[in-house]
């Protein structure tokens, strides 16, 4: 589980300072991925061989790659495909984890035992190793990547939700609802989800960051978003493959955007946590 | 103590069995099966059938599973499709490199995190602690391949001090220890920085907490100097979570390894995993997943048992 980030900056940044900064960064990242591609209409796939590997200039604000493609246009379209895969994947992981957690937490004891045992095994393997294993098994289409990332990164949330559900289970209002004939699904959706909401929302933000990181890592390793589509991870990799020529304008921007996205997720999640716990 | 050990052991064995079963069926859900990844997409049905027979893939699934378990118990992990060598032998060749790389990184990273944690705890709330906090937050959100890329750009390309990839200089027929160390410098620096960033947060918090406790006040009142208090009393208590943390971070050591070893083309286990994933060499992939899973389960078990020894209260949970 995540530990508190409150002490990271060693002081108390106003009650909602972290949250505001996180949301601001998140807005910036979303703007780069979904709106900026329409504001900067240059074709990311048009090649200008005469202008190959130029540093930033008036014509090409972020320079060009080895084929003479506009690096800014590539960065923006890469941002779109990164987010278009990572965000649905995070949503899928979230739904799977929450459903699994509620099933274990509210179901009969044998189901809980079986599901938790399976979870222990799932948690015993580092996510990236399992991701690489499966990414090698299936063709890396965007849909497959969404399914893969979504179906692999849920165990952490599942355990949290299960523990919360178990802890709340014996409380009077749950027993009363059960006596009144409420089904388990009704209990989960109406009564428990309200109590577990902070845990769910905070973890949803963290999981979004994790999905972006995992997808970028996969793409960096050549097993994520496939050409001709670009993504931040694959752009960083192709920039680094030319490292001997020192093309910093191809390496820094995608790296900084991934960094910004992860920072946004971490700060938003932590900001929400502190503003809910009320001890900013 | 004995009962707890037995219970933990049994639970670990069950986890291991589930893991082994899962891995087997995962690999067998491959679309097309291994024959296609060995022979390529243009294989004829006849050649696929012949290969399946040779590899024993035409047997029933339960029989294959039984056979596979039998081989596994004898330490036989199969043959690599591409390199055509026993997987066990290959793993050991690459694992040696990873062990050197990681032992160094974790050692340096832990040492660094102790220094940072002490500084952060002592100067809590003042600028050195804030600076360390910014370092921790930065590395928490920074992808390891980006840090590695920056280190390459700066130290290998701009300054030209260190090599950017590989394990020794290929042009040199007798590369010495110095060449090996130079090739290790950047990958080790990357992993050590991440280790230091994540571990020092725990130490910083623990040191800060311990400094506020009564025994520190007593020691101070009895005239102990700040260095003696820190090193003899506070550090010892703040170090307690280290065993658990190192145990828990065990599998993540390998994840970080995949990316960092791939960036620096360092021929370790993570690099082998990456290359095998790119070329769909399933025997290697399954073996690595298995080995890491087994090591993780054992790592957790050892951390539990070590904690039980260090602090008997833990075993009464």
């Amino acid at each position: 589980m995540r530990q508190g980030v409150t002490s990271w900056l060693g002081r108390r940044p106003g009650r909602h300072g972290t949250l505001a900064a996180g949301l601001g960064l998140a807005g910036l990242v979303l703007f780069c991925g979904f709106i900026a591609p329409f504001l900067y209409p240059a074709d990311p796939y048009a090649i200008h061989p005469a202008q190959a590997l130029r540093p930033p200039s008036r014509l090409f604000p972020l320079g060009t790659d080895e084929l003479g493609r506009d690096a800014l246009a590539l960065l923006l379209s890469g941002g779109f495909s990164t987010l278009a895969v990572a965000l649905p994947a995070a949503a899928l992981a979230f739904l799977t984890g929450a459903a699994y957690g509620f099933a274990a937490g509210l179901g009969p004891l044998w189901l809980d035992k079986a599901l938790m045992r399976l979870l222990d095994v799932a948690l015993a393997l580092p996510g990236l190793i399992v991701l690489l294993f499966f990414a090698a098994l299936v063709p890396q289409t965007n849909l497959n990547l969404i399914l893969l990332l979504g179906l692999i990164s849920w165990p952490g949330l599942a355990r949290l939700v299960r523990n919360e559900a178990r802890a709340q289970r014996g409380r009077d209002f749950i027993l009363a609802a059960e006596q009144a004939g409420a089904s388990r699904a009704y209990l989960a959706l109406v009564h428990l989800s309200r109590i577990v909401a902070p845990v769910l929302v905070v973890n949803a933000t963290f999981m979004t960051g994790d999905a972006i990181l995992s997808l970028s890592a996969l793409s960096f390793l050549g097993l994520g978003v496939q050409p001709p589509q670009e993504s931040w991870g694959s752009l960083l990799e192709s920039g680094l493959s030319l490292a001997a020529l020192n093309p910093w304008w191809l390496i820094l921007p995608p790296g900084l955007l991934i960094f910004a996205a992860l920072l946004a997720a971490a700060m938003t999640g932590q900001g929400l946590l502190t503003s809910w716990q009320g001890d900013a | 103590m004995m009962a707890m050990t037995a219970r933990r052991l049994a639970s670990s064995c069950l986890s291991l069995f589930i893991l082994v079963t899962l891995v087997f069926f995962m690999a067998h859900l491959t679309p097309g099966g291994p024959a296609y990844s060995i022979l390529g997409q243009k294989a004829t049905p006849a050649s696929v059938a012949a290969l399946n027979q040779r590899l024993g893939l035409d047997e029933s699934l339960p029989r294959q599973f039984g056979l596979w378990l039998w081989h596994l118990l004898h330490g036989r992990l199969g043959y690599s499709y591409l390199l055509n060598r026993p997987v066990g032998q290959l793993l050991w060749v690459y694992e040696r490199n990873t062990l050197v790389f990681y032992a160094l990184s974790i050692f340096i990273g832990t040492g660094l995190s102790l220094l940072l944690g002490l500084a952060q705890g002592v100067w809590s709330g003042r600028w050195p602690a804030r600076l360390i906090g910014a370092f921790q937050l930065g590395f928490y959100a920074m992808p390891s391949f980006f840090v590695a890329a920056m280190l390459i750009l700066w130290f290998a390309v701009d300054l030209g001090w260190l090599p950017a990839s590989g394990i020794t200089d290929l042009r040199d027929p007798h590369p010495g220890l110095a060449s090996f160390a130079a090739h290790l410098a950047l990958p080790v620096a990357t992993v050590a920085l991440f280790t230091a960033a994540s571990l020092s947060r725990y130490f910083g918090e623990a040191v800060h907490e311990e400094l506020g406790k009564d025994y520190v006040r007593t020691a101070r009142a009895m005239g102990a100097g700040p260095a003696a208090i820190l090193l003899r009393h506070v550090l010892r208590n703040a170090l307690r979570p280290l065993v658990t943390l190192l145990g828990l971070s065990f599998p993540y050591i390998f994840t970080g390894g995949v990316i960092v070893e791939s960036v620096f083309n360092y021929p370790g286990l993570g690099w082998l995993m990456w290359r095998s994933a790119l070329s769909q060499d399933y025997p290697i992939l399954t073996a690595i997943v298995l080995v890491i899973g087994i090591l993780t389960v054992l790592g957790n078990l050892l951390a539990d048992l070590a904690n039980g020894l260090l602090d008997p209260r833990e075993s009464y949970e």
Side-chain angles (χ1 to χ4, degrees):
Chain A
M1 204 203 121
R2 309 274 173 172
Q3 301 296 317
V5 196
T6 18
S7 64
W8 258 341
L9 295 177
R11 67 196 156 108
R12 301 176 170 187
R15 172 163 266 244
H16 299 296
T18 320
L19 183 59
L23 287 176
L25 261 181
L28 181 77
V29 171
L30 289 175
F31 173 82
C32 282
F34 293 116
I35 299 175
F38 298 102
L39 301 180
Y40 185 77
D43 178 5
Y45 300 115
I47 55 173
H48 312 278
Q51 304 279 337
L53 220 54
R54 294 285 165 86
S57 62
R58 283 176 63 111
L59 196 56
F60 299 107
L62 281 180
T64 59
D65 71 354
E66 75 278 18
L67 297 172
R69 297 184 295 178
D70 187 331
L72 178 58
L74 281 173
L75 187 71
L76 296 179
S77 83
F80 178 77
S81 40
T82 303
L83 295 178
V85 171
L87 296 184
L92 179 61
F94 176 76
L95 290 177
T96 317
Y100 194 99
F102 277 130
L106 292 177
L109 204 62
W110 61 266
L111 185 68
D112 181 42
K113 284 226 154 127
L115 288 180
M116 282 303 110
R117 169 64 59 179
L118 209 60
L119 200 61
D120 279 340
V121 177
L123 284 169
L125 289 170
L128 190 68
I129 299 289
V130 183
L131 257 182
L132 272 182
F133 185 84
F134 281 110
L137 288 181
V138 296
Q140 296 102 15
T141 60
N142 282 359
L143 182 64
N144 279 346
L145 285 173
I146 292 176
L147 292 176
L148 209 63
L149 284 168
L151 295 179
I152 282 172
S153 28
W154 53 267
L157 179 69
R159 166 163 292 182
L160 281 179
V161 170
R162 178 257 177 200
N163 289 345
E164 286 282 326
R166 277 272 152 205
Q168 302 290 338
R169 206 179 166 176
R171 287 182 60 179
D172 289 345
F173 73 97
I174 299 280
L175 294 177
E178 266 181 337
Q179 286 299 312
S183 69
R184 293 209 165 101
Y186 182 86
L187 281 182
L189 291 177
V190 175
H191 289 298
L192 281 174
S193 61
R194 217 168 283 177
I195 300 178
V196 188
V199 177
L200 289 178
V201 175
V202 168
N203 274 278
T205 44
F206 286 144
M207 285 166 94
T208 311
D210 288 347
I212 294 175
L213 176 64
S214 302
L215 178 69
S216 301
L218 263 190
S219 304
F220 181 84
L221 295 174
L223 288 159
V225 176
Q226 294 297 309
Q229 293 178 85
E230 293 291 355
S231 66
W232 289 333
S234 64
L235 284 171
L236 184 55
E237 194 277 332
S238 52
L240 192 62
S241 67
L242 303 166
L245 303 168
N246 203 355
W248 54 268
W249 62 92
L250 294 178
I251 295 178
L252 281 184
L256 287 177
L257 275 176
I258 302 173
F259 179 51
L262 300 186
L263 208 55
M267 291 174 85
T268 307
Q270 188 55 40
L272 287 171
L273 206 59
T274 45
S275 69
W276 263 315
Q277 286 172 345
D279 64 333
Chain B
M1 185 68 203
M2 280 310 286
M4 186 207 67
T5 313
R7 212 171 51 234
R8 294 261 157 90
L9 263 176
S11 149
S12 299
C13 284
L14 186 58
S15 291
L16 282 182
F17 180 73
I18 298 177
L19 178 81
V20 167
T21 315
L22 272 183
V23 167
F24 175 81
F25 285 102
M26 273 178 348
H28 275 257
L29 292 175
T30 325
Y36 280 97
S37 36
I38 300 176
L39 297 169
Q41 292 298 325
K42 289 181 183 155
T44 61
S47 62
V48 169
L51 189 72
N52 276 344
Q53 199 192 359
R54 188 162 70 80
L55 295 176
L57 290 169
D58 53 349
E59 305 270 4
S60 69
L61 211 56
R63 206 180 130 67
Q64 283 190 45
F65 182 53
L67 207 62
W68 188 71
L69 267 184
W70 184 249
H71 283 303
L72 196 66
L73 283 175
H74 291 78
R76 288 195 291 257
L77 290 164
Y79 278 79
S80 154
Y81 293 160
L82 290 175
L83 304 166
N84 211 7
R85 282 168 65 192
V87 170
Q89 190 194 335
L90 269 176
L91 286 194
W92 176 238
V93 170
Y94 287 90
E95 178 60 32
R96 268 191 320 212
N97 292 339
T98 297
L99 277 181
V100 175
F101 167 38
Y102 263 102
L104 258 177
S105 313
I106 296 293
F107 184 72
I108 297 178
T110 309
L112 206 57
S113 74
L114 281 182
L115 291 180
L116 289 176
L118 276 179
Q120 197 178 21
V122 171
W123 287 304
S124 176
R126 278 183 283 162
W127 68 265
R130 273 181 221 169
L131 204 66
I132 295 172
F135 162 75
Q136 289 160 345
L137 176 60
F139 271 84
Y140 172 83
M142 193 84 99
S144 55
F145 49 90
F146 185 42
V147 174
M150 308 268 281
L151 288 177
I152 289 181
L153 273 194
W154 196 10
F155 290 100
V157 179
D158 251 7
L159 297 170
W161 288 349
L162 293 164
S165 79
I167 186 166
T168 48
D169 196 343
L170 292 175
R171 286 163 298 185
D172 187 348
H174 301 292
L177 207 56
S179 158
F180 186 52
H183 283 82
L184 267 174
L186 288 182
V188 166
T190 312
V191 176
L193 280 172
F194 277 97
T195 312
S198 65
L199 279 186
S200 64
R201 271 193 53 223
Y202 294 97
F203 286 137
E205 267 164 35
V207 168
H208 181 58
E209 214 170 274
E210 293 294 326
L211 277 175
K213 290 195 175 165
D214 287 346
Y215 72 89
V216 172
R217 198 190 50 194
T218 310
R220 201 171 280 153
M222 290 173 73
I229 290 179
L230 272 183
L231 295 181
R232 205 174 311 150
H233 302 293
V234 170
L235 193 60
R236 185 187 292 177
N237 285 320
L239 270 178
R240 277 200 37 229
L242 181 68
V243 179
T244 316
L245 284 176
L246 285 182
L248 285 179
S249 69
F250 203 66
Y252 296 92
I253 282 168
F254 289 92
T255 15
V258 175
I259 293 176
V260 175
E261 287 178 3
S262 309
V263 177
F264 291 103
N265 264 315
Y266 182 87
L269 203 61
W271 183 86
L272 183 69
M273 169 106 198
W274 173 52
R275 298 313 302 181
S276 308
L278 281 178
S279 53
Q280 305 195 315
D281 200 338
Y282 297 120
I284 293 193
L285 283 176
T286 8
I288 294 181
V289 169
L290 261 184
V291 168
I292 292 178
I294 292 172
L295 287 179
T296 309
V297 173
L298 291 182
N300 285 344
L301 180 69
L302 286 182
D304 272 354
L305 295 182
N307 270 336
L309 283 179
L310 290 179
D311 186 352
R313 281 172 300 180
E314 301 254 338
S315 38
Y316 290 105
E317 263 176 29

